Amino acid sequence: MRVGGFLAAGLVEETGIVARFFRLAPGNLFVAFVAAACIKGGLPSIAGCLAALSVMARTGKEWAALAAGFAVAALVASSNL
């Protein structure tokens, strides 16, 4: 299956909408999986993801975003007890 996909992708032109889709697809798939997990996790997960996204957008530092996301998720989860 993978070999077939690899060979088929090799036939696609390097320009055009299909090539652009293939360049954007990994990021789109990642966001789709993360969004589904955040929604399934409920309010603590959503709040943590939003905090992480906000800190990442402001600082550009992954560790700061992760720390903020985990902290906010833990605070929201502990307040729902």
Side-chain angles (χ1 to χ4, degrees), residues 68-79:
F70 284 126
V72 168
L75 287 171
V76 171
S78 68
S79 69

Side-chain angles (χ1 to χ4, degrees), residues 17-36:
I17 194 163
V18 175
R20 184 171 183 234
F21 171 77
F22 282 143
R23 283 193 304 274
L24 297 175
N28 293 339
L29 293 173
F30 177 75
V31 169
F33 286 122
V34 169

Side-chain angles (χ1 to χ4, degrees), residues 4-19:
F6 180 76
L7 293 173
L11 298 174
V12 176
E13 293 181 31
E14 292 291 324
T15 61
I17 194 163
V18 175

Side-chain angles (χ1 to χ4, degrees), residues 15-74:
T15 61
I17 194 163
V18 175
R20 184 171 183 234
F21 171 77
F22 282 143
R23 283 193 304 274
L24 297 175
N28 293 339
L29 293 173
F30 177 75
V31 169
F33 286 122
V34 169
C38 286
I39 291 170
K40 186 176 179 182
L43 186 58
S45 292
I46 293 169
C49 287
L50 290 175
L53 181 64
S54 175
V55 170
M56 186 65 188
R58 289 184 184 149
T59 66
K61 298 186 185 300
E62 294 89 3
W63 292 108
L66 284 170
F70 284 126
V72 168

